[in-house]
Amino acid sequence: MTAPDGQPLDVLVVGAGPTGLAAALIAHDHGAHVRIVDRRPDAPRFSRAFLVQSRTLEVLRPHGVTEELLALGDSNPQVHLHLRRRCVPVDVGEIRLPDTAFPNFLLVRQADVEAVLRRALRGRGVEVEWETQYESFRAVDGVVCDVTHHGIRRQVAARFLVGCDGSTSTVRATAGISWDGSVYPHEILLADVELDGEVQTGVAHVAVHREGLLFLLPLGETARWRVLTARPPNCAEAPTDRHHLQKILDRADVHARITRIAWSERVPVQHRVASQYRCGPVFLAGDAAHAFSPAGGQGMNTGIQDSADLGWKLAFAAHLRPGGDATLLRSYAEDRRPAAHQVLLLTHVLFWAEAGRGRVPSLLRGAFSSAGAPLVPVLLRRRRLVAHAVRVLAQLRRHYRRGPLSVEGSGYSGVAAPAGERIPDEEVTVDGGRQRLHDLIATPAVQVLLHRDTQWGMPPAPDGRLQVHRIRSWSGTGIVIVRPDGYVGFRSGSDTQGAAEWLELIGASPARST
């Protein structure tokens, strides 16, 4: 199998969910020849995720899809918090983070995210190959995969295979990678319903009660409202039973009557991380690599950020000789597997607070539902505390300081973030005048940021993989190299040799490009 332009295939992506689509898009935009297959007959399916976090929007921005995502979603959602018989409006727009172009989370359906990514790929000549079942692989100068399309088995040769095929991943199973963790004694109930009663439309409603949390989102796909709640273990009542759903609303003191159930689904909840993220030329990302509870809206975002880390590395490695890409490819698991464990811990605590059936979480929810209404405005006024919590949920605190691509040189005394940390947005001065830093580097490339007085002899790479900017508002000497996913890879006072070695390590040196 070749890429759409007839070139040998660099990356075969299995799974056309948000993670797989993002992996294909990012790898393509960094020069890889990609194809993406999915066993489903076509794209439509019901959304299970509804939040896109700030960091996810940042990593997608260089690939030209954020404006369309923002247009389809709500970046300033209004939330009504129901605490027994009291309703507390929460203006999420007041919680604006200062160092990002996306200061709030985006309320948007997963199906819309996937549609935007598919359109972006289609515009680049890459179509999802539906009804194509991945079967197995063998490692031969890359991978040779067996896939079946309409009953016909074919072999596909590629440099790398990326499994984005969900928690039941066939790629993971055929690579012999274990799936460590277990299943929660809960399940998530999703339903599209029509309501009649005292529920303001166009607003997200969150009800806290002793037995758990109930979410009513104005994002239904077959009806106006999407219901999301955790069900107790061994609940025998069918989720399509209107009486059962009505009892859930009544217990949460949501004064509305269900007039129609258009669709419902029960989803088991897991907490797992794959024992490895890589087996030779085979990589895992998204739900194939980790599974979390939905608490905090972390799953889809973590998967897309896996793709942001992996996509450019595979594209760069495809142009390196085998063996010369060892550190670059090893860095994916060393970056992202610890990140998954951190998210797993966060979501586990949040899910315990949200749906735990023990005495302690039940008492905490009951106490908050009874006495929390006057506390909410007080808590929201604690801007620094709230902003810190939002930054954690938005994954803006994630760092790779211990990763093999994070190199801290000597003599740096400037203002840029340390190696391994996300480069924050700020207003800077360049030759063209004042502009936001994230605007300046919003292209799929390695970005070299030079302080005003730094001597730099290397030219930009002719293939566009390396771009050089002189930041006039950063005084003195300094070199900061930002990876394509927005993390600082190298930082030094004036060590151009060290910078050249780092660029050589990832395959982005101008000499290699020419």
Side-chain angles (χ1 to χ4, degrees), residues 13-15 17-23 45 110 162-169 172 179 270 272-274 276-277 283-292 298-311 332 336-337 339-341 343:
V13 178
V14 178
T19 299
L21 293 165
R45 62 176 176 181
Q110 176 183 333
V162 182
C164 304
D165 49 341
S167 59
T168 59
S169 171
R172 185 184 64 238
W179 191 219
Q270 305 180 67
R272 300 182 187 273
V273 177
Q276 301 169 244
Y277 272 27
F283 297 80
L284 302 177
D287 289 352
H290 44 70
F292 315 124
Q298 301 295 296
M300 177 172 66
N301 291 277
T302 305
I304 292 175
Q305 289 173 52
D306 288 345
S307 296
D309 186 289
L310 180 61
Y332 169 62
R336 296 304 301 168
R337 199 162 178 274
H341 279 287
V343 174

Side-chain angles (χ1 to χ4, degrees), residues 170-363:
T170 305
V171 174
R172 185 184 64 238
T174 56
I177 297 174
S178 63
W179 191 219
D180 300 338
S182 62
V183 178
Y184 282 105
H186 305 79
E187 61 185 8
I188 297 299
L189 168 61
L190 300 170
D192 280 355
V193 303
E194 297 292 352
L195 298 175
D196 182 23
E198 302 173 14
V199 179
Q200 184 174 331
T201 59
V203 174
H205 297 266
V206 182
V208 182
H209 60 107
R210 186 182 179 88
E211 294 186 27
L213 268 64
L214 168 72
F215 296 84
L216 284 176
L217 305 176
L219 294 172
E221 291 164 291
T222 56
R224 179 177 298 180
W225 293 99
R226 172 62 58 87
V227 176
L228 188 155
T229 191
R231 286 162 53 93
N234 303 317
C235 181
E237 295 163 294
T240 54
D241 183 285
R242 188 184 302 178
H243 177 68
H244 169 58
L245 273 178
Q246 188 65 57
K247 283 201 303 184
I248 292 175
L249 266 64
D250 293 343
R251 282 197 299 264
D253 286 307
V254 175
H255 303 296
R257 183 174 61 88
I258 297 173
T259 60
R260 183 170 72 95
I261 300 176
W263 164 85
S264 66
E265 182 180 28
R266 295 157 63 168
V267 182
V269 189
Q270 305 180 67
H271 52 100
R272 300 182 187 273
V273 177
S275 60
Q276 301 169 244
Y277 272 27
R278 178 191 178 193
C279 177
V282 180
F283 297 80
L284 302 177
D287 289 352
H290 44 70
F292 315 124
S293 88
Q298 301 295 296
M300 177 172 66
N301 291 277
T302 305
I304 292 175
Q305 289 173 52
D306 288 345
S307 296
D309 186 289
L310 180 61
W312 73 269
K313 292 175 180 177
L314 295 184
F316 281 35
H319 297 279
L320 291 169
R321 59 176 176 78
D325 56 10
T327 301
L328 181 61
L329 296 179
R330 175 169 58 90
S331 70
Y332 169 62
E334 296 193 25
D335 284 352
R336 296 304 301 168
R337 199 162 178 274
H341 279 287
Q342 292 169 18
V343 174
L344 185 70
L345 177 60
L346 172 65
T347 55
H348 192 71
V349 171
L350 291 175
F351 198 55
W352 173 83
E354 176 183 319
R357 297 290 164 175
R359 178 176 296 180
V360 173
S362 296
L363 287 173

Side-chain angles (χ1 to χ4, degrees), residues 406-424:
S406 300
V407 178
E408 192 73 24
S410 61
Y412 187 81
S413 58
V415 297
E421 291 193 4
R422 160 190 170 268
I423 190 84

Side-chain angles (χ1 to χ4, degrees), residues 103-116:
N104 299 318
F105 64 78
L106 179 68
L107 193 63
V108 63
R109 301 180 187 92
Q110 176 183 333
D112 291 330
V113 175
E114 293 178 3
V116 169

